[in-house]
Amino acid sequence: MLRRLFLPLLILLLLPVPVAAQKLIALSFDDVPRGRGAFFTPDERSARIIAELKKADAPQAVFFVNPCHIGSGDGVGGEARIAAYVAAGHVIANHSCTHPHLNATAVDAYLADIDKAEAWLKDQPGHRPWFRFPFLDEGGADKAKRDALRAGLAERGLNNGYVTVESSDWHLESLTIEAAKAGKSIDRKALGQLYVSWHVEAADYADGLMQAVVGRQPAQVMLLHETDLAALYIGDLVRALRKAGWTLVSADTAYADPIGALRPDVPSAQGTLTEALAWEKGLPAPRWYRYNDTRLATAEFERQVLHEGGGE
Ligand SMILES: [Zn+2]
């Protein structure tokens, strides 16, 4: 009897411990304070984003700030909105001061712009030493520029606030603003479905690519913007991510992942870290989620949200 039990027990003990599948993801919001959207004043929008995140019991998110946009145009009152995000338990970090394209800016001027933003950010509560490249432009094909920025950030004690998941939410937001300005009727339910399903699909796409490239499931960082779409649908997105097996983690947790120490060397430094790592490893293109193709996204928006183009 004892021997009959012993062998299976021994086999069980010698088997490698299976690693539980884990899909971890943090939320990030860029371009704060961002210009007005289709539906809300900037104050209403911030209040809704905060309330929706809270209602969905979402953990700490990071808001990447452009301090030079505070206080002018739609950025009036921006300081109070940023403070409100922090008071709600979220953190803030550097997205440059004026949102320049690294490709079109000299290294010294670009670093000075980062310093200007950091000078404002450093005394703010909730500040983290992370820098998110505007347009995810890390120098493109100019490797000298890319390396100068890598060195410049390190000198300043700033880490790259990289992105691993994105679905061009800025494009969906601008299509919505255009449609509203043109007086078109917007199917808000369909719009929410696109926003939610595209971001969940983009997360799962990045999960698959990461597993193929690094052989594990690093904590992902989703790129979103401070948009009216977030104000409307961020709670739905959090719930849909969980339904798809994702665990929401804090930005602090995500950026503690060792994947952030990787410095991929690819022909053009731009876009998500996921794409760069896949490119470096020689995975075939496309290495990005399909609805980052804005032409395809526009066609789907017109068909599903504006009910244009016939067929339905
Ligand atoms: Zn930006």
Side-chain angles (χ1 to χ4, degrees):
M1 182 66 190
L2 212 63
R3 268 174 64 187
R4 267 177 59 202
L5 269 176
F6 181 71
L7 195 61
L9 197 67
L10 188 71
I11 291 170
L12 206 68
L13 285 171
L14 292 177
L15 282 172
V17 180
V19 178
Q22 55 161 13
K23 300 202 293 185
L24 308 179
I25 194 162
L27 303 178
S28 68
F29 297 87
D30 280 13
D31 298 3
V32 183
R34 205 166 185 274
R36 181 183 283 258
F39 307 116
F40 307 117
T41 67
D43 284 348
E44 286 169 344
R45 179 178 58 199
S46 289
R48 276 175 176 264
I49 290 173
I50 289 167
E52 285 296 315
L53 287 172
K54 190 174 178 198
K55 209 164 78 186
D57 200 22
Q60 170 214 76
V62 53
F63 290 79
F64 284 95
V65 178
N66 301 115
C68 287
H69 295 171
I70 294 170
S72 64
D74 285 336
V76 169
E79 219 161 335
R81 298 200 292 278
I82 291 162
Y85 291 130
V86 175
H90 304 296
V91 294
I92 54 174
N94 194 327
H95 192 36
S96 80
C97 209
T98 62
H99 209 275
H101 246 302
L102 178 52
N103 256 316
T105 313
V107 168
D108 285 354
Y110 195 88
L111 287 171
D113 199 78
I114 292 175
D115 288 340
K116 200 171 172 190
E118 203 60 22
W120 184 85
L121 280 158
K122 70 176 173 35
D123 297 326
Q124 303 294 323
H127 171 229
R128 292 292 184 274
W130 306 329
F131 174 69
R132 161 91 31 101
F133 284 87
F135 311 102
L136 304 184
D137 172 6
E138 300 191 23
D142 189 337
K143 291 198 180 190
K145 212 172 223 184
R146 176 198 73 186
D147 291 345
L149 256 296
R150 285 178 179 177
L153 292 182
E155 266 168 37
R156 287 161 174 76
L158 291 171
N159 294 321
N160 187 343
Y162 60 84
V163 169
T164 65
V165 175
E166 75 138 337
S167 180
S168 303
D169 68 320
W170 56 271
H171 180 63
L172 202 51
E173 172 87 349
S174 75
L175 289 171
T176 304
I177 292 171
E178 274 171 42
K181 273 187 187 154
K184 291 180 179 172
S185 141
I186 294 168
D187 181 340
R188 286 212 203 181
K189 190 167 173 230
L191 179 58
Q193 278 164 358
L194 286 194
Y195 182 85
V196 168
S197 66
W198 287 359
H199 284 95
V200 173
E201 281 177 25
D204 283 331
Y205 174 80
D207 179 51
L209 209 50
M210 277 295 190
Q211 290 194 55
V213 172
V214 296
R216 66 179 186 94
Q217 292 175 291
Q220 306 273 353
V221 180
M222 179 179 278
L223 167 61
L224 297 164
H225 291 77
E226 191 199 33
T227 60
D228 283 7
L229 297 186
L232 285 168
Y233 309 122
I234 193 63
D236 291 340
L237 175 54
V238 169
R239 288 181 284 273
L241 282 166
R242 288 192 178 124
K243 210 168 158 197
W246 288 92
T247 300
L248 276 284
V249 296
S250 67
D252 281 335
T253 298
Y255 281 137
D257 195 293
I259 202 154
L262 299 177
R263 300 284 178 271
D265 183 22
V266 291
S268 186
Q270 61 187 67
T272 67
L273 179 59
T274 317
E275 180 185 5
L277 292 173
W279 198 356
E280 188 178 44
K281 189 110 179 191
L283 264 70
R287 290 159 290 243
W288 38 267
Y289 173 58
R290 62 190 169 133
Y291 284 115
N292 285 315
D293 177 339
T294 52
R295 221 177 40 182
L296 195 63
T298 302
E300 282 306 298
F301 175 84
E302 287 170 353
R303 193 173 66 84
Q304 297 194 41
V305 178
L306 302 182
H307 302 291
E308 288 175 352
E312 276 190 292

